[in-house]
Amino acid sequence: MRVLSGTQPSGKLHIGNYFGAMRQYVQLQEQGHECLYFIANYHALTSVNDRAELKELTTEVARGYLAVGIDPSRSIFFRQSDVPEVCELAWILSCVTPMGLLQRCVSYKEKIEQGLLPNHGLFGYPVLQAADILIYHSHLVPVGQDQKQHLEVTRDIAKRFNNEYGAVLTIPEAYILKESAVVPGLDGQKMSKSYDNTLELFEAPETTRKQIMRIVTDSTPVADPKDPEKCTVFALLSLVASEEETEQWRRRYREGGMGYGEAKARLAELMEELLEPFRRRYNELVKDPDYVEDVLREGGLKARQIAQGLMEEVRSATGIVTARE
Ligand code: ADP
Ligand code: TRP
């Protein structure tokens, strides 16, 4: 089973990214699947227009994935731009993609509402994503709920291509990461860099602790019973505490006699247990940029080899001729 997923280097990684996506990527790797994970820097051009920022975020996100457990000896880990063939495939796929299919994509409309420029790249974003997936004959694509429509578009495009030119492309399946796993941010909304409510993964421990102490809670007096299901602190605690401990906190919330400060202090402690080894590894990687670069280069070479094989088939199926080397 070949697993593939990509992450845009469009901001600093946070706890929501970890529990919503990165942790599952590591689990799929541990289960022994053939995994390809990449940093989608071409896609990030739709939202990051500063050259230095895009370069820096690309490296930061790469370090982040390595720090939480993506193992380059087991997974192919690479930069999207080290396989420029995806752009070629995206063009070919765009010639079998009806306008209506892209016009129905809600993420385009949402991004325009958030203030992104309504350019051709943003409109064609799902076609490049389809190319990312199809170029490696991927079977399974783990993504958040928000990407479900892009996976449907990918399947649709692949079927249209195969109908037109023969069965060249593998039709992938989405593996939708649980919706119930939406991690709340410091203000109780979904944790997201766009809401400025994140707990970053590689922040100094003191900063994370202070942010946890500032999490918004209601003003129920200490003595009164509290509803754990409506509390951000509890939601975050249940991600890092054992099942047993989570159950104890649930009981204590309901019984009353417990203040939010106490739950926050325990959350800060458990969060630090999770984050400390990640931060240590991340900081080692900051000091060793050559290692990160080597990993990405080698991953890129492996990924590119697969992509070039597929592109030969695609060119031959479509009648695109290139000079023989
Ligand atoms: P952001 O919302 O901060 O811009 P992204 O959209 O770049 O984050 O997130 C990349 C992936 O991380 C998403 O597809 C989703 O799977 C996961 N993710 C992000 N935020 C959360 C969250 N609060 N809860 C669960 N998963 C999340
Ligand atoms: N669009 C994805 C996101 O924003 C990132 C992405 C780009 C991707 N190409 C992909 C995800 C291919 C899965 C497969 O999260």
Side-chain angles (χ1 to χ4, degrees):
M1 182 82 88
R2 186 174 280 169
V3 172
L4 169 126
S5 199
T7 303
Q8 287 194 74
S10 50
K12 293 196 183 251
L13 294 167
H14 54 74
I15 299 288
N17 297 140
Y18 178 70
F19 286 102
M22 300 166 85
R23 184 174 63 158
Q24 282 87 329
Y25 298 166
V26 176
Q27 281 165 357
L28 287 161
Q29 166 190 279
E30 305 299 317
Q31 286 163 14
H33 298 294
E34 183 188 2
C35 297
L36 287 93
Y37 296 125
F38 68 95
I39 314 293
N41 54 347
Y42 285 138
H43 276 110
L45 268 184
T46 58
S47 63
V48 183
N49 307 117
D50 182 284
R51 159 178 189 273
E53 191 186 359
L54 183 57
K55 282 176 81 174
E56 180 55 27
L57 282 171
T58 303
T59 311
E60 255 181 50
V61 171
R63 266 187 228 126
Y65 271 83
L66 294 171
V68 304
I70 294 301
D71 175 356
S73 69
R74 282 186 284 170
S75 296
I76 301 183
F77 184 56
F78 63 106
R79 256 181 312 239
Q80 187 181 31
S81 54
D82 283 329
V83 188
E85 284 81 1
V86 289
C87 293
E88 182 186 355
L89 182 59
W91 172 255
I92 294 175
L93 295 178
S94 76
C95 296
V96 296
T97 306
M99 289 292 284
L101 192 62
L102 300 179
Q103 276 159 347
R104 283 194 291 279
C105 285
V106 291
S107 80
Y108 175 73
K109 293 170 207 159
E110 281 170 9
K111 286 173 180 173
I112 300 295
E113 275 164 29
Q114 283 169 17
L116 294 196
L117 292 174
N119 56 34
H120 183 240
L122 197 64
F123 188 66
Y125 182 113
V127 185
L128 181 57
Q129 183 162 350
D132 284 330
I133 296 168
L134 300 172
I135 207 164
Y136 306 108
H137 284 294
S138 314
H139 301 118
L140 203 63
V141 185
V143 281
Q145 181 70 25
D146 58 330
Q147 296 295 314
K148 195 172 169 208
Q149 192 178 31
H150 287 168
L151 262 294
E152 281 158 14
V153 169
T154 300
R155 287 167 57 88
D156 196 331
I157 293 176
K159 286 178 193 162
R160 282 168 193 271
F161 182 94
N162 286 353
N163 271 339
E164 192 70 33
Y165 296 111
V168 175
L169 303 175
T170 302
I171 313 294
E173 297 283 338
Y175 171 62
I176 302 296
L177 306 169
K178 266 190 283 161
E179 211 176 350
S180 60
V182 170
V183 178
L186 302 175
D187 56 0
Q189 296 186 80
K190 177 190 170 202
M191 187 179 288
S192 168
K193 57 183 174 272
S194 344
Y195 302 146
D196 201 16
N197 64 355
T198 61
L199 281 176
E200 284 177 18
L201 275 178
F202 309 108
E203 201 40 282
E206 199 37 39
T207 310
T208 305
R209 204 187 64 82
K210 281 188 189 145
Q211 286 173 325
I212 290 177
M213 293 325 249
R214 279 204 307 270
I215 292 176
V216 178
T217 50
D218 64 25
S219 50
T220 315
V222 173
D224 292 5
K226 300 171 182 61
D227 185 353
E229 310 309 330
K230 288 197 182 125
C231 178
T232 306
V233 182
F234 180 81
L236 294 174
L237 252 178
S238 66
L239 292 171
V240 284
S242 65
E243 266 178 44
E244 242 181 307
E245 182 172 348
T246 304
E247 210 32 61
Q248 279 170 17
W249 282 105
R250 187 176 278 119
R251 224 177 17 247
R252 293 198 56 205
Y253 266 71
R254 292 196 174 128
E255 279 167 9
M258 178 221 70
Y260 289 120
E262 197 188 329
K264 285 179 178 178
R266 180 63 179 147
L267 172 60
E269 204 171 79
L270 288 171
M271 203 51 95
E272 178 54 14
E273 276 177 31
L274 172 76
L275 297 181
E276 194 273 332
F278 294 168
R279 190 187 313 112
R280 190 158 19 91
R281 178 94 184 106
Y282 183 89
N283 289 332
E284 280 166 19
L285 293 169
V286 172
K287 288 190 221 128
D288 199 353
D290 290 350
Y291 170 78
V292 177
E293 189 50 38
D294 284 351
V295 163
L296 292 172
R297 186 181 320 105
E298 276 168 37
L301 288 173
K302 288 185 202 155
R304 193 166 189 197
Q305 208 167 15
I306 304 173
Q308 283 174 334
L310 185 276
M311 282 316 294
E312 273 179 31
E313 286 181 62
V314 166
R315 289 190 205 107
S316 143
T318 50
I320 291 291
V321 183
T322 55
R324 281 175 183 273
E325 299 217 324

